[in-house]
Amino acid sequence: MGEEVLAAVRGGVLEVTINRPEARNAMTKAAAEAIAAAMNRLDAEDDLRCAILSGAGGTFCAGMDLKGFLRGELPVDARGGFGGITTWTPNKPVIAAVDGHALAGGMELALACDLIVANVDARFGIPEAKRGLVAAGGGLVQLPRLLPRPLAMELALTGEAIGAMRAFELGLINRVTEGPAIEAARDLAEMIVANGPLAVAASKAIVRDSWLWPVEDINTHQNPYVAHVFTSEDAKEGARAFAEKRKPEWKGC
């Protein structure tokens, strides 16, 4: 058996691949910890601007490895939770590239990412109730924040899956592609990499955190996220590049 998670760098993007195709990339503890380690690397290396998370062999992730569960193993990382990323997120963006099935913990893993692109034949669902389990990796919390409550209830209580186009119509995913999801994810990543890294990280953090902020306190909460961006060299470079009609050269400071 080879490595359960592969990582490669392509144009400032860390491509992380769950590599258990023989098990439809069902999540193990080793895989969860390897994904968490890859996300630590994403934050630690300045040359990396974002990550793509995908699955090998034409499927994303079929959820928890049930054989491991029966042995008493939980596919979680101490900080990142299920799949290494559902209870913690890196500072930089992560794109889920979904082919095939993103079911149970696999859907929760996709929802934990910041953007999702999917092949037109991909399927999404949280079928835990069908197995006497509960979608405790974030699905039951995230879906009511992303969907009207009755739709979130339907997915949770019936356990039925939906296709990529339906997920797109509901606003759960960003793009649907006829080809491999990784290609569409790379296009999206390229646009992110072209932008100022400090601005991207601050924007992600505000979008992720601001749903908790009272309207009257938005500026108070937001200022710590953005103050260093407006005084950065990148902010000056962005303005100069715009005035000079050229591409900016970001320094990340």
Side-chain angles (χ1 to χ4, degrees):
M1 182 184 297
E3 294 180 70
E4 295 196 0
V5 173
L6 305 175
V9 177
R10 178 188 173 106
V13 180
L14 182 64
E15 296 188 356
V16 182
T17 307
I18 309 167
N19 188 39
R20 305 189 71 236
E22 74 288 349
R24 294 195 303 162
N25 297 319
M27 188 59 57
T28 64
K29 185 172 183 60
E33 291 174 346
I35 291 172
M39 297 305 150
N40 287 337
R41 177 184 175 188
L42 173 67
D43 270 351
E45 297 185 17
D46 292 340
D47 290 342
L48 299 176
R49 301 293 183 81
C50 70
I52 297 173
L53 180 62
S54 65
T59 197
F60 182 68
C61 175
M64 177 172 62
D65 184 85
L66 293 179
K67 293 180 181 178
F69 173 72
L70 291 173
R71 294 193 302 268
E73 176 187 288
L74 292 177
V76 301
D77 171 74
R79 177 179 63 173
F82 178 88
I85 196 176
T86 56
T87 59
W88 169 86
T89 184
N91 294 322
K92 300 171 186 177
V94 182
I95 304 168
V98 178
D99 295 300
H101 291 153
L103 298 176
M107 182 173 187
E108 294 172 311
L109 195 63
L111 292 175
C113 296
D114 303 297
L115 304 100
I116 305 173
V117 300
N119 176 269
V120 68
D121 293 325
R123 302 280 291 171
F124 296 82
I126 48 171
E128 280 86 346
K130 291 177 177 285
R131 301 167 189 160
L133 299 171
V134 175
L140 297 178
V141 176
Q142 293 294 341
L143 284 172
R145 296 175 181 173
L146 299 170
L147 296 176
R149 187 168 176 263
L151 293 177
M153 280 288 192
E154 181 178 343
L155 288 172
L157 302 183
T158 68
E160 293 297 314
I162 59 175
M165 286 307 303
R166 178 60 171 155
F168 178 76
E169 290 165 358
L170 292 174
L172 286 175
I173 64 178
N174 298 81
R175 297 183 181 184
V176 178
T177 178
E178 294 284 344
I182 189 70
E183 297 299 335
R186 285 169 177 163
D187 290 342
L188 200 55
E190 185 177 352
M191 288 187 279
I192 293 171
V193 169
N195 296 330
L198 294 179
V200 166
S203 297
K204 167 178 171 169
I206 292 169
V207 171
R208 279 271 181 164
D209 297 349
S210 60
W211 67 273
L212 290 169
W213 301 345
V215 172
E216 63 273 17
D217 294 330
I218 285 178
N219 284 337
T220 300
H221 288 290
Q222 180 173 261
N223 285 343
Y225 291 75
V226 302
H228 69 290
V229 178
F230 284 96
T231 59
S232 68
E233 289 300 315
D234 275 0
K236 298 172 185 175
E237 168 63 8
R240 281 194 298 264
F242 179 79
E244 296 168 7
K245 296 182 171 60
R246 60 174 175 80
K247 291 181 65 174
E249 297 179 6
W250 307 118
K251 296 180 180 177
C253 62

